[in-house]
Amino acid sequence: MLNTAEANAAEPAVVPTVRTVLNQTRRTGHYHGGHEAATHAEIARRLARLHGYVYGGFADPAGADPGNPYLVPSDTLVEAGGTRSVHDLFGGLVPCQFVATKAISHGLVRPDAAAPDGWAPIFAAAAGDAVLAGYSVFEPGDARRAARLLWQSGPVRAKLVHGVAGRGQRVVADERALDALLDELGTARLAREGLVLEENLEEVTTVSVGQVEAAGQIVSYWGTQRTTTDHLRQTVYGGSDLRLVPGPLGRLRDLPLPPPIRHAISQACRYDRAADLAWPELRASRRNYDVAFGKNPAGVWRSGVLEQSWRIGGASGAEIAALEAFAADPLLPSIRASTVEIYGPAPVPEGVVVYFDGIDAQNGPMLKYVTVERA
């Protein structure tokens, strides 16, 4: 009979499995030669270090990758009946494509209105006044019915559900403008994607409220966005300035905050709870909500969550910096972190974390970096 030492020597050694972090994307074209892919790759590298994993680059589209990877997708994943958890990805996973878009932010104009499979009326009821007045529509007749109701209070903002950074939006003030938009969309695309019709605000300020979970930590934040000018002299996203604390979204209420910011955080929390209630299959380790403040046509100040982002975003560099800072010093009560995006040649400031410094395939010279300081 073998003694214990001999028995152990006779059995094959068990080698601990180290997970591989992979970027994942379905995007093509300029993405792979641009600042977004480089930024997403650097975020994945830093997440690998935080977890004690290894970074494996971009996932093979054919699926020939290591088993059980930790994913950093460029977009929200759609996986009905999926088994991934928040510990398997940086981003989000939803059961239906429309759940990842602006379409969920509003209810239908009538109970039997056209809607995609998987639509959950309970979301609008649970979100309540966390959103602005509006409707999501999937059929021309419902679009006209919704617009007529909203026009009673003034012009309406029409938003394509996949638009980002304010793109894909326009103000429609009458039937003629709405019909032109519906003709551009076409009935097939309208049925497939939907269209958001929402009260139009002026003098708008947007606040970001979010939470990230990775490497055994949860960090929450609120902040504002900045704009800059790109190489075509267009106004585009220029970065975010965030105040971050360890813990879930509700921890933000412990900060000394002005009433409008506190209200924005409450609206984001209500929207977040409504999404979990409506779609229990939702898994998101990155939750970001844009809350807008502005005046409606009657001059009354209104606020509401415009949309959700359950994927890597423009503020994610600052989110990762916070995870790193709190991991290094768990007693830190809060920090400030900013992402900065500059179009054109620019010097690199001292003490920043550079995410991209080079020639973007579409935008030319660009510099992207993150700054961190104790709050």
Side-chain angles (χ1 to χ4, degrees):
M1 179 179 292
L2 294 175
N3 61 32
T4 302
E6 291 171 331
N8 289 340
E11 294 179 358
V14 177
V15 179
T17 301
V18 177
R19 296 182 77 176
T20 300
V21 176
L22 296 175
N23 291 102
Q24 185 182 61
T25 188
R26 293 183 179 178
R27 301 185 192 183
T28 57
H30 294 296
Y31 174 80
H32 286 285
H35 67 95
E36 270 197 304
T39 301
H40 294 176
E42 181 60 21
I43 285 172
R45 288 188 196 95
R46 290 177 174 275
L47 282 166
R49 286 199 291 270
L50 276 167
H51 283 93
Y53 300 158
V54 297
Y55 176 58
F58 277 79
D60 183 349
D65 292 306
N68 193 31
Y70 179 95
L71 298 178
V72 184
S74 59
D75 297 286
T76 307
L77 298 181
V78 181
E79 188 176 294
T83 58
R84 292 191 181 96
S85 77
V86 294
H87 306 298
D88 297 322
L89 79 165
F90 185 78
L93 182 150
V94 295
C96 311
Q97 179 62 53
F98 75 87
V99 181
T101 74
K102 293 180 178 69
I104 71 166
S105 293
H106 297 290
L108 305 176
V109 69
R110 54 192 175 91
D112 58 346
D117 292 340
W119 186 262
I122 192 175
F123 176 82
D129 61 2
V131 299
L132 300 172
Y135 301 97
S136 291
V137 296
F138 298 86
E139 187 270 331
D142 289 335
R144 295 185 181 97
R145 185 177 290 105
R148 291 185 191 117
L149 289 172
L150 293 169
W151 278 329
Q152 295 176 22
S153 301
V156 172
R157 180 168 294 274
K159 302 181 345 186
L160 302 182
V161 300
H162 292 292
V164 296
R167 299 183 178 91
Q169 302 185 19
R170 71 179 70 172
V171 176
V172 291
D174 52 37
E175 295 269 3
R176 188 173 182 177
L178 179 62
D179 286 343
L181 173 58
L182 294 176
D183 287 343
E184 289 178 31
L185 275 177
T187 55
R189 183 180 176 189
L190 180 62
R192 183 175 66 252
E193 299 180 3
L195 176 71
V196 169
L197 297 175
E198 186 178 80
E199 65 177 312
N200 184 52
L201 300 184
E202 297 181 347
E203 300 180 35
V204 175
T205 298
T206 302
V207 175
S208 294
V209 181
Q211 172 188 300
V212 291
E213 182 173 357
Q217 298 184 88
I218 298 177
V219 172
S220 298
Y221 61 85
W222 77 271
T224 56
Q225 299 179 4
R226 285 172 280 102
T227 59
T228 189
T229 304
D230 68 9
H231 68 296
L232 296 177
R233 311 307 298 171
Q234 297 175 325
T235 299
V236 296
Y237 174 77
S240 297
D241 301 311
L242 307 182
R243 175 77 176 273
L244 307 103
V245 299
L249 279 176
R251 275 278 287 110
L252 292 169
R253 298 192 182 103
D254 295 338
L255 295 172
L257 300 170
I261 302 302
R262 190 172 297 278
H263 185 58
I265 291 168
S266 294
Q267 289 182 307
C269 288
R270 184 170 182 179
Y271 188 108
D272 185 68
R273 290 193 300 268
D276 284 331
L277 178 65
W279 295 283
E281 313 95 319
L282 168 66
R283 301 288 183 270
S285 59
R286 198 260 177 177
R287 297 169 180 250
N288 178 275
Y289 304 100
D290 284 345
V291 186
F293 293 84
K295 289 183 179 179
N296 68 11
V300 177
W301 282 98
R302 298 271 292 130
S303 70
V305 178
L306 299 178
E307 61 182 316
Q308 79 288 5
S309 175
W310 297 320
R311 63 175 180 83
I312 196 168
S316 290
E319 296 163 0
I320 300 303
L323 288 168
E324 293 171 335
F326 291 126
D329 184 356
L331 297 181
L332 271 178
S334 68
I335 66 166
R336 299 184 190 277
S338 298
T339 59
V340 180
E341 301 192 9
I342 300 172
Y343 291 76
V348 179
E350 291 186 9
V352 304
V353 178
V354 176
Y355 274 78
F356 183 82
D357 183 13
I359 307 297
D360 178 85
Q362 190 171 18
N363 296 295
M366 282 191 69
L367 173 63
K368 298 174 68 173
Y369 60 85
V370 173
T371 64
V372 182
E373 63 181 35
R374 296 175 68 103

